[in-house]
Amino acid sequence: MSMVTDKPFLYGTHYSTPAYVLFYLVRTAPELMLKLQNGRFDKADRLFDSISDTWFNVFTNPSDVKELIPEFYQTHEFLTNKYCIDFGSKQNGEIVNDVKLPPWATSPEDFININLKALEGDYVSSNIHKWIDLIFGYKQTGEEALAADNLFYYLTYQRNFEENIYDSNYRQALETQRREFGQTPKQIFFEPHPEKKDFQVDLQKVEVFNNFSLKLTLESTIEKLHRKPISCIGLSSDSILTCSHDGSSKMLLIKDKSIQRCITPSQLALSSCCFDIGNILLGSWDNNIYYYSIQTAKCLDILRAHNDAVTSIIQYQELLFSASWDSTIKIWQKRNSGYFSVPINQYAAQDSITSIDVDLFGNHLIAATTEGSIATIDIRDSVMINEVTLHKSSITATKFFKMNQNLFTCCSLDKSISIIDLRMNKILSNLSYSQPLSCLETVNNWAIVGGKNCNMLLIDANTANMLEIEYSKGFTYFVSDGTLLTTAHHDNSISFWKINYE
């Protein structure tokens, strides 16, 4: 155990750093590796060349603490030298080209598919809570971290860094160190995370099988949850949050579907909602965003956010993103009891905005408009990249795909769905349907799409195959965490579907 300071630690380098990420991505993002390495690639013997060699090194070298990156479950491109880059030769004369795969994988595509099946399998599902405890939970700090061999240099923890550094030069030096060697994620949970368990509802089940290896099982339905259509649903680990055009919001426990809170912040319709660690956020047609405590049901803050109706809100780490019919997207910084009243950034689209989404890494935001365009914003560089017309009528919903953050999809009142590659700035697929479409959600590489008079549509992003599932209620909203799909219907009810992967 290292003792550079009076506070002991086991690791000075973190499991996710720019160098570790680019170690894996040198074939797809060589320009970033060159920037990191001052214009040259690393020595051939140190490059990512073999899955088995990398695995062996991580498990035998105490200083090698790399974690897998999302691409191991998303795309095979980082495994092949498609740009024919000359990475040189190793000391044994072997040329570094494509990554060598383990013997159980017949191709890069097969390798990714097997990884994805393992990630979604029973073993990972039954043990994922242990990983959450280490990375985001109660084993991140203190005696529990020490007992779990999970102790990092103390100033890499957010609270210690913020509270203990007053010298500006020293602080800047440490910020540079954290950018190079990593930072412990913010602690979210302070008690052991519960093990994932399926709950059973004593109802006649409706099962839907399809050739996408995806199975949906209708578990339960709550009738007439609101007096008017449900406009949005938020999802946490144990609760469902709904908001409606009747101006009210309700919070239910997933386990028994009991209503825990009912809040009516506005006489006008609520358009959007989300959870925010012990609190909830509600966007309204009265131009405001309301911030409520779950525990007390009291309003903690009101953001006078826009000059017209708020249409969409997304909470990401310490930031809140909002969009409006006034054509603006705004970014708000969190403070102790809400959000600062002045946005830290804002952007203007050409038309009223109906829907926004942020990718899993907080790099890009996409915004859909009433005139059929999508505006793309680079959040890190604080710039609007472009605004491109994709549909003939209003785009009603847009989402990034969970398993490939370069892809997003959108649906429109013009009865079509588009799948777009963000990096290539290219429409990959455009599918037509018989009815206007108003809501969608993505689950891994699938899009789930619906509308007021529609059945449920399942679309495979890889093949653009579409399957229609008959369901009589029609849809106003979808939300999913990958294991549970919650659907809102035009009759003001909500349904819960269990997701399984075959």
Side-chain angles (χ1 to χ4, degrees):
M1 182 179 293
S2 299
M3 290 285 292
V4 176
T5 72
D6 60 345
K7 299 185 179 183
F9 62 93
L10 291 168
Y11 314 107
T13 298
H14 275 255
Y15 34 79
S16 182
T17 69
Y20 285 171
V21 173
L22 293 177
F23 169 80
Y24 291 123
L25 298 182
V26 65
R27 290 164 178 80
T28 53
E31 71 281 5
L32 298 181
M33 177 60 84
L34 291 173
K35 184 176 181 181
L36 184 71
Q37 293 281 135
N38 295 319
R40 64 183 65 185
F41 294 114
D42 203 351
K43 298 292 185 182
D45 287 272
R46 292 198 293 261
L47 291 175
F48 178 41
D49 181 56
S50 165
I51 298 294
S52 60
D53 289 351
T54 303
W55 171 277
F56 179 80
N57 201 50
V58 168
F59 273 81
T60 58
N61 185 347
S63 65
D64 191 341
V65 293
K66 296 184 188 74
E67 273 203 346
L68 300 184
I69 59 175
E71 279 76 4
F72 274 83
Y73 310 98
Q74 291 180 348
T75 175
H76 66 276
E77 292 182 350
F78 76 104
L79 300 169
T80 58
N81 187 13
K82 64 178 182 179
Y83 297 125
C84 300
I85 300 171
D86 182 4
F87 293 114
S89 300
K90 297 181 179 180
Q91 293 182 20
N92 62 7
E94 185 179 345
I95 296 174
V96 175
N97 193 21
D98 295 341
V99 175
K100 299 179 184 65
L101 301 176
W104 43 261
T106 60
S107 67
E109 294 88 346
D110 185 46
F111 176 75
I112 298 301
N113 288 333
I114 293 173
N115 284 348
L116 183 56
K117 289 179 180 178
L119 181 66
E120 296 167 347
D122 293 338
Y123 181 83
V124 173
S125 293
S126 61
N127 287 278
I128 191 68
H129 63 288
K130 300 174 184 177
W131 179 82
I132 294 172
D133 288 338
L134 291 170
I135 307 302
F136 301 105
Y138 80 110
K139 291 186 178 181
Q140 189 192 88
T141 59
E143 293 300 321
E144 293 289 351
L146 182 59
D149 293 337
N150 192 43
L151 201 61
F152 292 85
Y153 184 55
Y154 82 106
L155 284 180
T156 62
Y157 295 92
Q158 181 177 7
R159 183 178 64 181
N160 292 332
F161 183 85
E162 292 175 348
E163 292 178 354
N164 290 284
I165 307 301
Y166 302 103
D167 182 271
S168 60
N169 292 329
Y170 185 40
R171 186 182 184 91
Q172 183 177 2
L174 284 177
E175 286 177 344
T176 301
Q177 178 183 345
R178 293 206 301 179
R179 284 195 297 269
E180 294 292 332
F181 296 102
Q183 173 184 345
T184 305
K186 182 177 180 180
Q187 187 173 358
I188 299 175
F189 307 108
F190 298 89
E191 296 179 355
H193 197 278
E195 183 179 353
K196 178 186 173 184
K197 293 182 179 179
D198 294 331
F199 62 90
Q200 300 295 326
V201 180
D202 187 17
L203 294 172
Q204 182 180 2
K205 291 178 170 57
V206 178
E207 294 189 347
V208 178
F209 292 87
N210 60 74
N211 59 355
F212 300 171
S213 301
L214 183 71
K215 182 178 77 171
L216 299 178
T217 303
L218 178 62
E219 295 283 358
S220 61
T221 297
I222 300 176
E223 302 291 347
K224 301 295 182 182
L225 184 63
H226 286 273
R227 292 181 290 106
K228 292 184 179 181
I230 295 167
S231 51
C232 186
I233 306 174
L235 188 63
S236 72
S237 60
D238 60 0
S239 301
I240 293 285
L241 180 67
T242 65
C243 66
S244 167
H245 288 177
D246 63 15
S248 72
S249 174
K250 297 182 180 181
M251 193 183 83
L252 303 84
L253 289 180
I254 294 176
K255 184 176 182 180
D256 59 11
K257 312 302 187 300
S258 60
I259 296 176
Q260 301 297 301
R261 287 283 182 266
C262 183
I263 297 169
T264 306
S266 174
Q267 297 300 311
L268 295 182
L270 296 180
S271 63
S272 44
C273 60
C274 60
F275 286 96
D276 184 12
I277 310 179
N279 304 296
I280 59 173
L281 289 152
L282 303 170
S284 173
W285 282 8
D286 66 8
N287 310 351
N288 298 327
I289 299 172
Y290 296 88
Y291 191 61
Y292 274 83
S293 165
I294 293 176
Q295 182 176 5
T296 64
K298 290 184 178 180
C299 185
L300 304 177
D301 194 16
I302 301 176
L303 270 180
R304 316 295 179 184
H306 289 273
N307 295 323
D308 206 336
V310 176
T311 55
S312 187
I313 59 174
I314 293 176
Q315 197 275 336
Y316 180 86
Q317 296 183 356
E318 300 296 309
L319 300 177
L320 173 66
F321 300 86
S322 66
S324 168
W325 286 343
D326 68 8
S327 304
T328 64
I329 305 116
K330 297 184 180 182
I331 306 176
W332 312 84
Q333 178 70 49
K334 193 172 185 179
R335 55 186 174 90
N336 290 335
S337 59
Y339 288 82
F340 288 103
S341 59
V342 177
I344 61 173
N345 230 325
Q346 72 176 60
Y347 307 89
Q350 296 178 11
D351 300 288
S352 297
I353 298 167
T354 58
S355 173
I356 59 173
D357 194 29
V358 174
D359 69 31
L360 288 177
F361 310 113
N363 292 327
H364 294 97
L365 178 147
I366 47 177
T369 76
T370 54
E371 296 302 311
S373 65
I374 289 283
T376 305
I377 293 170
D378 188 318
I379 299 171
R380 303 300 185 190
D381 290 340
S382 301
V383 62
M384 180 178 285
I385 299 173
N386 58 29
E387 183 171 353
V388 180
T389 300
L390 299 176
H391 290 271
K392 299 176 182 178
S393 187
S394 176
I395 297 176
T396 46
T398 186
K399 284 279 185 178
F400 282 98
F401 282 95
K402 303 296 191 298
M403 298 306 295
N404 188 340
Q405 294 293 286
N406 291 324
L407 301 184
F408 68 90
T409 182
C410 55
C411 63
S412 171
L413 296 180
D414 68 5
K415 309 177 184 179
S416 67
I417 308 110
S418 295
I419 298 174
I420 300 95
D421 188 309
L422 182 65
R423 176 180 288 184
M424 297 174 61
N425 194 27
K426 177 182 178 182
I427 299 175
L428 301 181
S429 303
N430 186 270
L431 307 173
S432 298
Y433 186 62
S434 59
Q435 298 292 333
L437 301 165
S438 58
C439 55
L440 66 80
E441 174 62 300
T442 56
V443 178
N444 293 345
N445 281 328
W446 297 281
I448 304 173
V449 188
K452 177 181 176 181
N453 300 312
C454 297
N455 291 318
M456 185 186 297
L457 307 178
L458 299 183
I459 301 169
D460 187 335
N462 295 323
T463 64
N465 289 333
M466 181 167 66
L467 179 72
E468 184 173 1
I469 300 171
E470 293 187 7
Y471 196 66
S472 59
K473 283 178 172 287
F475 302 93
T476 61
Y477 201 83
F478 295 124
V479 67
S480 175
D481 64 356
T483 61
L484 178 72
L485 173 68
T486 305
T487 58
H489 307 287
H490 195 257
D491 63 0
N492 311 336
S493 65
I494 60 173
S495 298
F496 301 90
W497 307 70
K498 185 177 179 180
I499 300 175
N500 284 313
Y501 304 93
E502 296 294 318

